[in-house]
Amino acid sequence: MGFEGVVLLLNKNKRLRLVFRTIVLSILVVTTIAVLYVNFQKDDPILEAGVEAPNFILDRMDSNEKIELDTLEGKGVMVNFWATYCEPCKKEMPFMEELYQEYQDQGIEIIAVSVDKNSMVIENFYNQFNLSFPLVHDKNGTIMEAYQVQPLPTSYFINPDGTIERVVKGPLTLERLESYFKEILPNNNQV
Amino acid sequence: MKNVKCECGHINHEGTVLCEACGKPIEGNQHIDGNDDNKVLNMRYEGSARRSRTYKRTIIDKTWNFFSSVKVGVWLIALALIAAAIGTIYPQEEFKNSVLPSSQFYEEQYGLTGKIFYQLGFHNLYSSWWFVTLIALIGISLVICSIDRVVPLYRALKNQKAKRHEIFVRRQRFFSETEQTSDEDRQTFMNNLRKRRYKITEDDGHILAEKNRFSRWGPYVNHIGLIIILIASILRMFDFMHTEGYVWVREGETKVVPTTDQEYYIKNEKFIYETYDRNDERFQEALKNEEFNVPSNFQTNVVIYKVKEKVTLGQEPELEEVARGEIRLNQPLTFDGYSAYQSGTQLRSEYNLISFNVENGEGQQIGMFEFRPNDDQRTYELGNDYKAEIQEYYPQFEITENGPSSFSKFPRNPGIIFEITGPNVEGERYFYLNEDVVPLSDDNEFQVSLEDTQLITASGLIIKKDYSLPFFLIGATIFMIGVAQGLYWHHRRVWLHPKDGKLLVAGHTNKNWFGLQKDIEASLKDTNIEMVKDQQEKF
């Protein structure tokens, strides 16, 4: 092989080198993007707007029935996590009661999930305030954990199709509560 | 295309400093390694063409060349180090241990610097997108730098010839020139080198003696280890490789094991806290100056259950025992890939039982009742139609602006209002707080006193699953092999170059010149060949 031949070979090598570099760089860049994506996914709470709300069944404390979230499909549901030792939770209860009277007939349901340990304290509070919406007791904290409740109160507003419309961390005002109820009103009542 | 043909006939890549075959400095490229100003040739990477210094055409090449620069790599590492160090100044968000949201916590706790720390995103540094990107860029730099150096180095070492150019030999750091030498002298020298495990290559009277070439691959082996560690840390981001959760379980309580998708439950049967015995002779000296007892054991006896069949949240699943054991510090209980580590204690911090004794005015006992804070029992029969009824219960009593309330759901400081009724008594109310019973009315029919209390401990357990550790171990092992390979062995070469009846001897090593000097000195014993001189000292 003469000098010219070697030069040709090296030229070919150069093209190969470009291909090689392109492949290596692509692998590295794609890996980096994938890592960033996975990392981003991890940061986000799993339960957010658009995600289906996990089903649960709990005994109602205000009656002898059970309540299951999935059976409420077709209604807009507010799941409110509260406790008797949480002062802001107790303050928003009257707002919920007031709006419940108004919106119950339009297809809005409220489930108040107490995360207290002892049910006596819940009964005492419930009777004192004359609340009429369903009340359940999450004694072992399983629902609280599944719904990633932090802090108290946390409220989930669930669409008639079972997907989460809005997650509210912290206390609510009457006005905000009403506007969120309107977001999850079943369609036939909206017009 | 500017490939350079050397006078020895070898064709070198553009940017080559020293001919791959004979080592002759290639004109016009000497500035690259600074050979212009020095007598001794710079031998790094064997004077091969580092591609980073050449070809700058397409975006791919430009990007490649950017990452191929060691300078860029060092800067990336420096930036990552500085950022990582700053991240340790205040606690990361997950360890802030406060109910305050991060937006308030850092400012309230640490003032202005805390606010800056939070606003720049250092509170969540190690998973922030820019820190992850920085680490990824270091990874890219590592791969490209290695490829760009190991390939030319490999080529240069493979292509090197025993017969070198005179200039190459003369400009080595170790060099000598002997006027008159015999063949015996040369033979002795070669045999001595052979005894020292040098490999000898001969070409037309020119000799190359070389040992431990593999030590040159040390840095690249080391980088492969680092890359495996990076890959392991990527794997660790996925739940099937690694999960970690934390759960507080009180004595007697059964809880869902976090991160197991409600599949496992854990029961705290008993918590054991032990301290070193002050009366034990072995410990007396050490404990002499200790005001408080020194704990010797934190232990949770647990039972692990697996659910037989998944149930809807909120329903009680049927449980099946899968493991049972004692968890101590650094002695986890392992079940189905998960390990439970002892890592927190709230020692005897909650009431499990508070019992009361009720007597009538004459001091005769009417009955007793045991209040269990976590049970829902409201009324207690005392016998003979006497009853106690719990009216109000505050697990962790406090007074707020709205009156009596509770700080949490845990019975750490219970406040109880209860009423005692009897056949002829209307109902008398009593208030229990701080292990004391106070009547709430003036004339009392009954005498109520505290009989007994029982405290329980809450045990904090880390639940960990980690299948990524073996990958880290493999990476770290390869890393260490690379370090050892490059550090404890040295690549040594000696050249013999006959020229016009004279014999030129040159030596080069990548480190430990003293060792090479000793090798040559010992091998030249009983010969008339001149000992090499260190030429570097002249400049």
Side-chain angles (χ1 to χ4, degrees):
Chain A
M1 188 164 32
F3 186 60
E4 295 302 307
V6 175
V7 171
L8 270 174
L9 188 73
L10 287 175
N11 263 328
K12 201 178 146 201
N13 280 345
K14 210 169 162 186
R15 274 202 305 281
L16 279 176
R17 176 155 57 238
L18 186 65
V19 173
F20 174 75
R21 286 181 174 185
T22 313
I23 292 170
V24 173
L25 268 179
S26 322
I27 292 171
L28 292 172
V29 169
V30 167
T31 311
T32 305
I33 292 169
V35 166
L36 284 172
Y37 179 73
V38 172
N39 186 54
F40 177 71
Q41 290 276 309
K42 257 200 144 164
D43 280 355
D44 262 12
I46 307 158
L47 279 193
E48 55 188 354
V51 174
E52 193 163 332
N55 188 26
F56 59 84
I57 305 179
L58 282 174
D59 293 328
R60 281 180 69 160
M61 291 185 71
D62 54 321
S63 76
N64 289 326
E65 290 159 38
K66 283 175 186 292
I67 194 160
E68 179 173 3
L69 183 65
D70 277 4
T71 60
L72 299 174
E73 208 154 295
K75 286 184 174 182
V77 184
M78 171 192 188
V79 180
N80 173 257
F81 290 90
W82 70 286
T84 53
Y85 55 86
C86 158
E87 290 301 327
C89 301
K90 293 194 267 189
K91 271 186 199 136
E92 64 184 11
M93 285 284 179
F95 303 149
M96 285 156 64
E97 179 62 27
E98 188 182 331
L99 292 173
Y100 187 61
Q101 297 300 337
E102 190 182 337
Y103 283 90
Q104 189 186 9
D105 297 337
Q106 297 178 44
I108 292 285
E109 192 57 83
I110 295 177
I111 307 174
V113 183
S114 165
V115 299
D116 281 284
K117 279 197 115 168
N118 192 308
S119 66
M120 282 188 279
V121 293
I122 313 173
E123 283 165 14
N124 286 351
F125 174 79
Y126 201 73
N127 296 335
Q128 187 186 334
F129 278 81
N130 241 332
L131 303 170
S132 60
F133 46 80
L135 175 73
V136 294
H137 183 196
D138 184 22
K139 194 175 169 67
N140 297 325
T142 29
I143 319 292
M144 182 180 175
E145 194 177 303
Y147 273 80
Q148 304 156 2
V149 174
Q150 171 82 348
L152 284 174
T154 291
S155 299
Y156 281 83
F157 292 87
I158 300 164
N159 284 316
D161 66 358
T163 58
I164 296 167
E165 172 68 30
R166 186 181 282 278
V167 185
V168 180
K169 295 182 184 270
L172 285 158
T173 59
L174 188 68
E175 293 74 34
R176 279 172 65 208
L177 189 58
E178 183 158 19
S179 70
Y180 299 156
F181 273 164
K182 283 179 178 155
E183 287 176 351
I184 57 169
L185 269 184
N187 265 333
N188 48 353
N189 292 315
Q190 231 160 15
V191 190
Chain B
M1 195 69 187
K2 281 173 277 162
N3 287 311
V4 193
K5 188 178 181 180
C6 178
E7 63 175 55
C8 72
H10 188 81
I11 291 161
N12 293 292
H13 283 289
E14 182 192 350
T16 305
V17 184
L18 305 173
C19 170
E20 282 179 333
C22 76
K24 186 187 175 211
I26 286 160
E27 230 172 288
N29 287 342
Q30 294 313 300
H31 61 281
I32 297 175
D33 279 340
N35 288 338
D36 292 340
D37 309 324
N38 291 309
K39 184 177 181 189
V40 175
L41 291 174
N42 188 336
M43 287 286 284
R44 61 176 174 185
Y45 309 114
E46 298 295 297
S48 59
R50 271 89 76 205
R51 277 106 187 229
S52 57
R53 306 278 173 113
T54 54
Y55 309 120
K56 289 194 165 119
R57 263 189 230 149
T58 60
I59 290 202
I60 294 287
D61 286 331
K62 279 180 186 159
T63 317
W64 186 275
N65 290 336
F66 174 76
F67 284 114
S68 174
S69 157
V70 171
K71 205 187 263 178
V72 168
V74 170
W75 268 109
L76 288 171
I77 292 168
L79 284 175
L81 276 179
I82 292 165
I86 293 173
T88 63
I89 294 177
Y90 300 130
Q92 290 288 293
E93 190 175 37
E94 53 184 313
F95 303 116
K96 72 175 161 42
N97 225 341
S98 158
V99 286
L100 284 178
S102 297
S103 49
Q104 290 166 32
F105 171 77
Y106 289 97
E107 192 176 358
E108 275 182 29
Q109 195 79 16
Y110 307 108
L112 181 66
T113 46
K115 191 179 178 183
I116 296 169
F117 186 83
Y118 168 74
Q119 283 178 341
L120 291 179
F122 281 103
H123 66 295
N124 222 336
L125 176 70
Y126 304 104
S127 57
S128 72
W129 66 268
W130 62 269
F131 190 78
V132 173
T133 309
L134 206 51
I135 300 297
L137 292 180
I138 291 174
I140 294 176
S141 157
L142 206 60
V143 170
I144 292 180
C145 277
S146 299
I147 291 176
D148 256 15
R149 281 165 183 76
V150 76
V151 174
L153 180 65
Y154 176 79
R155 276 178 52 101
L157 287 175
K158 198 176 146 71
N159 287 331
Q160 64 173 332
K161 292 222 170 79
K163 187 175 180 178
R164 288 289 174 134
H165 195 273
E166 190 187 341
I167 299 176
F168 176 85
V169 176
R170 284 189 179 277
R171 288 182 68 182
Q172 290 302 314
R173 184 168 156 186
F174 277 0
F175 176 73
S176 76
E177 198 170 359
T178 314
E179 292 289 340
Q180 287 291 327
T181 52
S182 62
D183 269 356
E184 284 100 82
D185 281 346
R186 288 178 44 197
Q187 219 55 50
T188 317
F189 187 34
M190 270 164 60
N191 286 337
N192 285 339
L193 284 171
R194 219 176 252 126
K195 272 184 214 145
R196 293 176 181 273
R197 283 175 290 105
Y198 280 79
K199 286 191 192 98
I200 311 285
T201 339
E202 205 166 347
D203 179 12
D204 194 16
H206 296 255
I207 290 161
L208 162 65
E210 181 181 21
K211 79 190 268 191
N212 296 341
R213 190 196 284 185
F214 80 98
S215 112
R216 297 290 289 271
W217 314 128
Y220 308 102
V221 172
N222 171 281
H223 284 181
I224 290 170
L226 275 178
I227 290 161
I228 292 174
I229 289 173
L230 282 178
I231 291 172
S233 60
I234 293 174
L235 287 177
R236 208 166 193 263
M237 299 173 87
F238 293 96
D239 283 348
F240 67 89
M241 290 302 277
H242 172 252
T243 58
E244 192 173 319
Y246 197 95
V247 63
W248 282 105
V249 208
R250 279 137 185 101
E251 282 179 275
E253 192 183 31
T254 304
K255 274 226 162 156
V256 175
V257 182
T259 72
T260 64
D261 203 15
Q262 328 268 343
E263 212 184 323
Y264 292 92
Y265 282 70
I266 187 164
K267 182 178 184 195
N268 179 346
E269 296 252 278
K270 188 181 168 60
F271 188 86
I272 296 166
Y273 172 78
E274 288 165 324
T275 54
Y276 286 103
D277 185 0
R278 282 186 187 270
N279 298 320
D280 191 322
E281 255 180 52
R282 289 174 300 165
F283 307 133
Q284 272 176 356
E285 187 65 23
L287 294 174
K288 211 166 53 187
N289 298 321
E290 292 292 333
E291 190 183 343
F292 300 105
N293 285 335
V294 178
S296 62
N297 187 24
F298 296 91
Q299 175 183 333
T300 317
N301 295 353
V302 298
V303 187
I304 307 286
Y305 301 99
K306 191 176 181 176
V307 300
K308 275 190 173 165
E309 209 177 330
K310 281 207 143 190
V311 292
T312 310
L313 282 177
Q315 290 194 308
E316 298 280 334
E318 232 185 296
L319 298 175
E320 197 177 19
E321 183 179 324
V322 288
R324 178 185 282 271
E326 297 164 352
I327 302 172
R328 292 186 203 88
L329 273 183
N330 296 323
Q331 292 172 29
L333 176 74
T334 305
F335 58 97
D336 294 359
Y338 294 96
S339 299
Y341 290 85
Q342 184 67 50
S343 66
T345 337
Q346 294 168 30
L347 201 62
R348 292 193 272 279
S349 59
E350 293 174 19
Y351 286 85
N352 186 39
L353 180 141
I354 303 164
S355 60
F356 298 95
N357 189 25
V358 184
E359 292 172 346
N360 65 14
E362 279 95 53
Q364 286 168 318
Q365 198 197 28
I366 291 171
M368 268 182 57
F369 71 99
E370 293 182 340
F371 175 75
R372 290 177 184 275
N374 292 332
D375 285 356
D376 297 338
Q377 194 179 345
R378 201 180 263 282
T379 52
Y380 298 83
E381 300 292 338
L382 300 174
N384 300 324
D385 280 344
Y386 286 94
K387 268 195 314 191
E389 189 190 331
I390 309 295
Q391 291 187 329
E392 297 288 347
Y393 160 56
Y394 308 96
Q396 193 171 357
F397 186 84
E398 62 171 5
I399 298 281
T400 66
E401 52 192 30
N402 302 313
S405 181
S406 180
F407 182 73
S408 82
K409 62 179 166 186
F410 303 112
R412 292 178 180 136
N413 179 26
I416 311 163
I417 295 170
F418 56 91
E419 191 183 54
I420 310 279
T421 48
N424 306 312
V425 191
E426 263 300 285
E428 279 178 12
R429 297 173 78 214
Y430 294 86
F431 178 49
Y432 163 87
L433 185 71
N434 286 336
E435 314 215 332
D436 199 13
V437 186
V438 188
L440 292 177
S441 50
D442 285 336
D443 0 286
N444 299 291
E445 191 79 11
F446 303 110
Q447 287 285 327
V448 181
S449 58
L450 179 71
E451 178 72 21
D452 194 16
T453 58
Q454 202 180 79
L455 288 163
I456 50 168
T457 297
S459 175
L461 301 170
I462 288 180
I463 310 292
K464 198 185 251 182
K465 178 184 79 180
D466 197 344
Y467 293 125
S468 67
L469 286 179
F471 295 94
F472 283 101
L473 186 67
I474 293 168
T477 307
I478 294 175
F479 179 101
M480 282 314 293
I481 290 172
V483 169
Q485 189 178 340
L487 264 180
Y488 297 123
W489 283 272
H490 317 117
H491 182 214
R492 293 174 182 169
R493 275 175 294 176
V494 177
W495 291 275
L496 264 66
H497 190 97
K499 181 79 183 175
D500 305 331
K502 288 191 264 185
L503 183 68
L504 314 185
V505 179
H508 177 76
T509 178
N510 60 337
K511 58 173 73 77
N512 188 4
W513 289 82
F514 180 74
L516 177 64
Q517 192 187 333
K518 284 280 154 201
D519 268 359
I520 297 174
E521 205 165 21
S523 303
L524 285 177
K525 226 177 150 200
D526 306 325
T527 70
N528 291 322
I529 304 170
E530 290 260 348
M531 179 55 196
V532 293
K533 295 212 168 53
D534 191 339
Q535 303 202 86
Q536 199 176 48
E537 285 158 14
K538 290 181 192 165
F539 293 88

